[in-house]
Amino acid sequence: MTSIVAPVFVRSVQAALPQVLAAIKQGADMLELRCDEAAREVVEEILARPDVRCKPTILTIRAKAEGGLFSGSESERLRLIQHACRLTPDYVDIEYDTWRKNPEFAAELLPLLAAADDHVSRKPKLILSNHDFSSRPADLQQRLLAMADITPVRIVKAAYQAQNLLDALEALRLYQELPKIISQSLVIIAMGEAGLITRILAAKYNAAFTFAVPAGSATTAPGQPTITDLIHTYRFKRQQRNWPLYGVIGWPVAHSISPMIHNAGFDSIDFSGVYVPLPVEPEYEAFRTAITAMRELPELNFCGASVTIPHKANAARYLQSHSGLLDDTSARIGVINTLYFPPHGPIRGTNSDWCGAIEALRVGTNWSLTDLAHKRVGVLGAGGAARAIVAGLATLGSTVIIYNRTLKRAQELAHEFNGNTGHVSAAQLDEFGATPCNVVINCTPAGMVPHVTTLPVNDIRAIDSSMVVFDTVYNPRRTRFLLAAGERGAKTIEGLEMLLRQAVVQFEGFTGQSAPLGVMRIAAEAALDRKL
Ligand code: NAP
């Protein structure tokens, strides 16, 4: 089973202990004691503590040249590692280049380390590590194989800075291929936001361990998740090799709360699958290459994705160029936010934003779709969100006025959807209020963090208690616009409702089962509360 290792910087026992206790309480299986800056007595004391030794330990003392903090000479470092080895940590981690270039390390440490077939003595086992803090080494596979050739290495580990998702996928490819050639356990970590999936999916790929920190602690490498994220959001301790992978493709994507929403839903219905953030650069070529690379890894079992800014048009193009299937309304909208990759048959796509918005409106007002068809709706903005909502409303038959800063953009959108059952017209944003509406929907980012005091319209006096005001912005949940509309007596609907209801459509497509909306809502609210 793949362990969660909590790295703890040990400067003094007193400072390290609270981190150790927090890590164990939150579910860490092992501790890495980073003793780069610890005096000999501190190393002795920390390795003697029963509250530390209740978990397996990795002893690491990394030099500055290796990206660590040990500032003494190499012979001083070797003497400290030798001394620490006699105190029997479970593992000792040595940088491969140091082992290779400095024969004294091997000569002095070998007698102190457990032999490759020694499962009895308490001698520490050897982890050899290769770090590259700038990029993925071109010869990564060769390096891992060379490390595996060294006796008595037990765990072969590589950590490198990921420049993009492809760098992370290479780690997953090696997890898939190398066990066919070598017998040692592997840890391959792509550092940074682009490499996060190598940490999250370490259990699916049967890695020896992955690193994670207790909530609120400093990380020891870029991109480390928290122990709580791994265990509770990504169900790390339950992941299986055959679990299908889903994710949200965007740029940036770290802010997305979709992983929290979908994984909570998966857990609630006991669905075997995991949903991860997938950062992909904005260009179509990057999108196409990333999807191709994921689909080419059989063990990844990539079955579907939510697609967010700026990739919704790229997703539609990808679907079209792969002869995918698309429903009529999504085809009319021209951009999609969901891709399904079934094991057999053509790929499918849909735009769940429009159904999410209409469903949020229907439930929030208690109106039927027929009621909605007889309403006059003012849509603020003419971008992607407005496009999906206008398409939905126009299909129902509502009367829609699109108000936008750039009139031309509103006119083009209105022209495209006018007469599609409903009547759609365009107006300058400043004209908002001139024509009475039953419903106003903000489809601009005005009011979204960090610009929480911005309103989408200058004058809100046109809003009154007969109206429904729906803000698609969901962070914060109660935007300034919704608060102001509420004060004027209007009924208000939060953007989170749209986000959840579009996620429900995706979830049901991913799993083939009913979505547990209540569970997904609790997860979304908790995630938003953490972000505020
Ligand atoms: P977009 O394609 O960039 O379009 C933004 C639109 O807002 C444009 O029409 C733009 O006008 C207008 N705009 C931008 N800043 C403005 C401001 N300060 N005042 C007035 N108008 C402004 O963006 P999008 O994809 O449509 O997303 C818009 C918002 O929808 C996002 O903030 C997002 O939170 C929300 N959204 C929510 C959900 C959900 O599930 N709840 C889903 C999708 C989107 P110009 O044309 O003049 O530039």
Side-chain angles (χ1 to χ4, degrees):
M1 200 178 106
T2 305
S3 300
I4 296 178
V5 176
V8 177
F9 263 110
V10 184
R11 292 182 178 96
S12 71
V13 173
Q14 199 186 15
L17 271 184
Q19 291 179 58
V20 166
L21 297 180
I24 294 173
K25 187 169 174 209
Q26 288 176 31
D29 306 298
M30 289 174 75
L31 301 165
E32 184 195 34
L33 303 172
R34 284 290 302 265
C35 293
D36 307 16
E37 294 185 295
R40 186 183 166 101
E41 313 76 68
V42 173
V43 176
E44 285 169 1
E45 196 183 336
I46 196 92
L47 280 167
R49 295 281 311 206
D51 35 11
V52 171
R53 297 309 295 264
C54 66
K55 294 287 175 190
T57 50
I58 301 172
L59 185 282
T60 308
I61 302 175
R62 229 177 268 302
K64 286 194 169 155
E66 300 171 340
L69 293 167
F70 186 85
S71 54
S73 69
E74 280 300 81
S75 57
E76 283 167 336
R77 187 161 74 103
L78 176 55
R79 276 202 298 282
L80 187 55
I81 296 173
Q82 268 180 303
H83 183 60
C85 281
R86 293 193 184 95
L87 304 169
T88 66
D90 295 271
Y91 292 90
V92 61
D93 184 325
I94 308 282
E95 188 72 16
Y96 170 54
D97 270 355
T98 301
W99 187 275
R100 196 166 54 98
K101 292 180 185 162
N102 191 343
E104 273 191 0
F105 270 70
E108 301 289 336
L109 294 178
L110 271 177
L112 302 172
L113 297 171
D117 56 354
D118 174 2
H119 299 287
V120 183
S121 78
R122 292 199 57 214
K123 286 181 173 180
K125 298 176 267 300
L126 177 63
I127 300 172
L128 277 181
S129 289
N130 184 260
H131 284 82
D132 191 322
F133 292 98
S134 59
S135 60
R136 169 164 64 91
D139 60 346
L140 179 60
Q141 175 163 337
Q142 288 90 318
R143 286 190 201 199
L144 287 159
L145 291 175
M147 284 193 271
D149 260 351
I150 287 173
T151 308
V153 66
R154 292 288 181 92
I155 297 176
V156 171
K157 177 177 143 221
Y160 55 89
Q161 182 65 33
Q163 304 297 338
N164 52 39
L165 188 66
L166 297 183
D167 282 339
L169 294 174
E170 177 60 7
L172 304 186
R173 188 189 71 78
L174 291 169
Y175 273 134
Q176 197 177 286
E177 297 305 322
L178 290 188
K180 298 172 190 165
I181 317 172
I182 63 172
S183 59
Q184 290 92 342
S185 299
L186 284 167
V187 174
I188 313 172
I189 296 167
M191 294 181 285
E193 186 191 333
L196 182 61
I197 58 167
T198 62
R199 300 177 185 275
I200 295 173
L201 300 181
K204 173 176 159 75
Y205 279 91
N206 201 23
F209 57 77
T210 196
F211 291 105
V213 291
S217 297
T219 57
T220 54
Q224 273 173 5
T226 67
I227 299 167
T228 311
D229 286 341
L230 284 187
I231 294 178
H232 297 293
T233 302
Y234 298 107
R235 295 186 292 165
F236 192 82
K237 296 194 174 179
R238 289 169 53 196
Q239 285 178 22
Q240 299 289 325
R241 195 78 165 194
N242 61 355
W243 273 22
L245 182 87
Y246 303 87
V248 51
I249 303 175
W251 186 269
V253 79
H255 66 281
S256 173
I257 62 169
S258 294
M260 291 75 187
I261 295 175
H262 284 278
N263 284 315
F266 288 172
D267 187 30
S268 159
I269 63 162
D270 216 7
F271 177 74
S272 301
V274 59
Y275 183 108
V276 297
L278 296 166
V280 175
E281 297 99 321
E283 302 74 31
Y284 176 70
E285 203 41 37
F287 182 85
R288 191 192 62 77
T289 314
I291 299 261
T292 306
M294 286 192 279
R295 294 184 70 200
E296 279 175 0
L297 286 177
E299 293 195 5
L300 191 60
N301 199 2
F302 179 49
C303 289
S306 312
V307 180
T308 187
I309 294 168
H311 285 300
K312 294 184 184 183
N314 289 340
R317 184 173 161 193
Y318 180 88
L319 191 80
Q320 195 180 25
S321 64
H322 288 75
S323 308
L325 303 178
L326 191 60
D327 56 281
D328 288 348
T329 309
S330 303
R332 226 172 295 131
I333 297 169
V335 297
I336 59 173
N337 71 340
T338 318
L339 284 167
Y340 301 110
F341 302 103
H344 308 290
I347 62 174
R348 288 181 291 116
T350 195
N351 188 315
S352 69
D353 280 338
W354 77 269
C355 359
I358 300 292
E359 186 63 3
L361 206 47
R362 194 188 63 75
V363 174
T365 56
N366 235 346
W367 291 335
S368 67
L369 293 180
T370 315
D371 293 336
L372 201 46
H374 291 99
K375 304 295 179 191
R376 186 192 297 273
V377 184
V379 170
L380 311 178
R387 189 178 176 78
I389 290 176
V390 168
L393 291 168
T395 306
L396 284 180
S398 315
T399 301
V400 182
I401 309 170
I402 305 167
Y403 295 95
N404 197 41
R405 271 188 327 201
T406 313
L407 178 61
K408 190 164 179 292
R409 212 172 164 196
Q411 286 169 330
E412 284 167 3
L413 189 57
H415 179 69
E416 228 181 295
F417 290 100
N418 185 31
N420 194 345
T421 318
H423 180 264
V424 186
S425 58
Q428 188 74 47
L429 189 60
D430 292 348
E431 288 171 34
F432 171 73
T435 311
C437 288
N438 307 108
V439 180
V440 179
I441 309 179
N442 174 36
C443 296
T444 80
M448 189 166 71
V449 285
H451 307 291
V452 291
T453 56
T454 314
L455 286 167
V457 287
N458 292 330
D459 190 353
I460 59 156
R461 280 174 302 177
I463 293 172
D464 64 38
S465 59
S466 69
M467 295 165 74
V468 173
V469 174
F470 171 18
D471 198 335
T472 64
V473 171
Y474 58 84
N475 192 10
R477 284 177 59 191
R478 300 292 298 167
T479 59
R480 168 114 191 271
F481 188 44
L482 285 187
L483 290 172
E487 279 165 17
R488 296 186 65 80
K491 185 170 186 53
T492 56
I493 301 173
E494 296 178 2
L496 184 59
E497 288 308 310
M498 171 179 169
L499 183 75
L500 282 169
R501 287 166 196 284
Q502 67 75 32
V504 160
V505 174
Q506 298 181 328
F507 185 97
E508 297 187 345
F510 294 152
T511 63
Q513 298 185 51
S514 298
L517 178 61
V519 169
M520 292 161 78
R521 176 177 283 115
I522 290 168
E525 288 173 355
L528 283 177
D529 286 348
R530 277 202 302 275
K531 282 184 192 293
L532 280 177

